[in-house]
Amino acid sequence: AQTVTQSQPEMSVQEAETVTLSCTYDTSENNYYLFWYKQPPSRQMILVIRQEAYKQQNATENRFSVNFQKAAKSFSLKISDSQLGDTAMYFCAFMKQKRADGLTFGKGTHLIIQP
Amino acid sequence: EAGVVQSPRYKIIEKKQPVAFWCNPISGHNTLYWYLQNLGQGPELLIRYENEEAVDDSQLPKDRFSAERLKGVDSTLKIQPAELGDSAVYLCASSLETGNTQYFGPGTRLTVL
C-alpha cells in the first residue's frame, strides 16, 4: 500500500513571497504519477500540477513548480510570487501507473497568503 | 467544456434515514471515482468504475453503502441507513481512462444529525 505524508499542517506567507510545500511518499512501485491538488473553501478539488515518475525533468505550470526527488521519494511544490487567491488547502497525491487504484492523498497543508 | 457535476451540494438528514448522491462526469470520461473526505483529511477512494463496471470497491462499506453507474455515464452513491459517522464530503471525479488525470466535482457535504 502507498502512503503520502504532508508534514506541514499549516503555512502562512506574505503576498508575493515564494513558498514551498513538502510531500513525501512511500511505495514499492517504479512507475507512478504524483499530483498536487488545490482545494479552496468552495471544496472544488483543482489540479495544480502533475509529474510522471519516469520523467526526470521537474514539472512546471506558470508560478507552480515541483522538486521531484525519486530516490528520496520526495515531491515538493514551490509557489512563486504568491497571490491572495492561492490561499487554500493543498493536497499531494499518488497514483499507480498500472491498474490505477485511485488517488492516495496526504492530509493536506493549509496555505494562507497574507496581504 | 462542462466539469463534473454533483448534486445536491448540501444534505442534512437524521440518522437511520437513506440518502443518495448523484454525479455526472465530464463527457467522454469512462472512468468514474467516488471519494469520501472527512474533516481535516484528504479524500479516500470508495469505489472506481470503468464504464459501468465497478472495478475497485474494496473500500466501500457494503453493509450500508451502494453505488451504481447505469449505462456507463451518471452514477449514484447511496447510504442506507445513514449513521452519525457518515457526516463528510462525498466527492466524485472522472478521467478519460484509468491512469489519467482525475477531475473533481464540487462535492456533496452530508450532515447526519
Side-chain angles (χ1 to χ4, degrees):
Chain A
Q2 286 67 232
T3 59
V4 177
T5 302
Q6 294 179 250
S7 59
Q8 305 151 313
E10 185 170 289
M11 295 187 70
S12 180
V13 298
Q14 296 292 316
E15 191 176 7
E17 289 184 346
T18 294
V19 60
T20 299
L21 309 183
S22 65
C23 171
T24 59
Y25 58 94
D26 188 25
T27 184
S28 58
E29 302 284 325
N30 189 49
N31 296 315
Y32 49 87
Y33 302 102
L34 294 164
F35 303 84
W36 280 98
Y37 279 90
K38 168 185 177 182
Q39 189 178 42
S42 66
R43 298 198 308 270
Q44 183 88 43
M45 196 75 78
I46 302 165
L47 176 68
V48 175
I49 202 163
R50 163 188 166 126
Q51 175 81 42
E52 290 87 350
Y54 67 85
K55 290 186 178 180
Q56 292 185 339
Q57 185 172 7
N58 289 323
T60 62
E61 284 289 342
N62 301 314
R63 298 183 295 109
F64 299 88
S65 61
V66 298
N67 183 4
F68 173 49
Q69 302 289 330
K70 190 173 183 180
K73 297 180 180 175
S74 171
F75 183 61
S76 61
L77 174 69
K78 185 172 82 171
I79 306 174
S80 303
D81 185 26
S82 57
Q83 301 174 359
L84 297 179
D86 294 333
T87 294
M89 285 293 294
Y90 286 81
F91 291 95
C92 178
F94 172 100
M95 185 171 72
K96 293 179 186 177
Q97 185 175 28
K98 294 181 180 180
R99 189 185 171 270
D101 294 333
L103 292 161
T104 299
F105 286 87
K107 290 188 175 183
T109 295
H110 185 205
L111 176 64
I112 301 169
I113 308 299
Q114 305 275 9
Chain B
E1 178 182 278
V4 176
V5 179
Q6 289 188 249
S7 69
R9 289 296 309 277
Y10 303 89
K11 188 73 177 179
I12 301 174
I13 61 172
E14 294 188 347
K15 63 181 181 182
K16 301 185 180 179
Q17 294 299 306
V19 65
F21 315 122
W22 175 80
C23 173
N24 178 243
I26 293 172
S27 177
H29 283 197
N30 56 19
T31 305
L32 183 146
Y33 308 78
W34 282 103
Y35 289 87
L36 164 68
Q37 186 176 21
N38 286 306
L39 185 64
Q41 303 291 320
E44 299 175 359
L45 181 70
L46 287 173
I47 190 168
R48 172 170 64 96
Y49 281 93
E50 290 182 15
N51 298 303
E52 64 274 9
E53 182 183 1
V55 295
D56 183 1
D57 63 355
S58 58
Q59 301 304 311
L60 191 72
K62 298 180 184 62
D63 57 336
R64 297 183 301 107
F65 286 66
S66 64
E68 60 182 12
R69 190 184 184 197
L70 300 176
K71 301 181 181 180
V73 181
D74 295 0
S75 177
T76 303
L77 178 68
K78 298 178 181 178
I79 308 175
Q80 183 172 7
E83 297 179 352
L84 295 177
D86 296 332
S87 294
V89 175
Y90 292 81
L91 295 168
C92 179
S94 69
S95 65
L96 270 174
E97 59 186 27
T98 301
N100 277 334
T101 298
Q102 296 177 33
Y103 296 90
F104 285 79
T108 296
R109 181 180 294 280
L110 173 68
T111 301
V112 182
L113 303 176

